[in-house]
Amino acid sequence: MFNLFKKKQDQGIMIGAPVKGKAVSISEVSDPTFGGEILGKGVAIIPEEGKVYAPADGTIDLLFDTCHAVSMTTTDGVEVLVHIGLDTVALKGEHFTAHKATGDSVKKGDILITVDLEAIKNAGYDVITPVVICNTDDYASVEALAGKEVGVGDDVLKITK
């Protein structure tokens, strides 16, 4: 009962997995823009299913016309980019279906995009999905929780203010 007034330990801001699959280090992404952390620190997920969900509560800043990527700002102010596959912008939206739009408010776990992963692989594209914190410099640390199988919404990034 006396613990009621103790300050709650700050667990940091947690970002969930937008897709089910294997979480790996962002350095495993062959594209240097992501693997070299040019856009920010993050994690990558090798997806098992073609459904992409909101990794946190927030607002969609930009759902690309080609539906290959979505940028959002969480209610905590974290700027998250989810990029489905590498060079998939070249598909011009083929094999992608959006379920939300730019400006929409979303809750963690809301469906954002469905993707035909097999069609994308058959077209010769890597489906690895980087999840990048674009405002990394605003935080003391951005830690990837990689090296494990993850379900949708499982913690994959821990951000410390």
Side-chain angles (χ1 to χ4, degrees):
M1 178 169 155
F2 294 107
N3 287 337
L4 182 65
F5 298 107
K6 278 191 174 178
K7 187 175 179 193
K8 187 177 172 187
Q9 183 99 9
D10 185 10
Q11 299 298 315
I13 300 167
M14 304 306 285
I15 303 297
V19 294
K20 177 183 177 185
K22 179 165 177 132
V24 297
S25 169
I26 195 82
S27 64
E28 291 189 31
V29 178
S30 61
D31 183 312
T33 301
F34 296 110
E37 298 183 338
I38 292 169
L39 296 177
K41 294 186 180 294
V43 68
I45 302 171
I46 302 166
E48 292 177 10
E49 296 176 348
K51 294 179 181 170
V52 181
Y53 299 88
D57 294 354
T59 303
I60 296 176
D61 297 319
L62 179 62
L63 178 66
F64 288 75
D65 291 342
T66 52
C67 302
H68 77 287
V70 61
S71 172
M72 69 175 289
T73 301
T74 72
T75 54
D76 292 311
V78 180
E79 297 171 6
V80 183
L81 172 67
V82 177
H83 197 283
I84 306 155
L86 302 181
D87 299 320
T88 49
V89 66
L91 292 170
K92 298 180 177 152
E94 190 175 355
H95 313 304
F96 296 88
T97 303
H99 299 280
K100 296 289 182 184
T102 298
D104 286 355
S105 290
V106 295
K107 292 286 188 191
K108 182 177 180 178
D110 285 355
I111 185 85
L112 302 178
I113 303 166
T114 50
V115 185
D116 186 338
L117 291 177
E118 290 309 310
I120 292 171
K121 289 178 194 174
N122 291 338
Y125 295 89
D126 187 344
V127 295
I128 195 165
T129 300
V131 182
V132 178
I133 305 306
C134 295
N135 59 340
T136 292
D137 292 344
D138 292 350
Y139 301 99
S141 70
V142 175
E143 177 188 353
L145 307 175
K148 62 182 181 176
E149 293 293 323
V150 293
V152 171
D154 289 352
D155 294 341
V156 291
L157 289 167
K158 179 179 180 182
I159 300 165
T160 306
K161 293 184 180 181

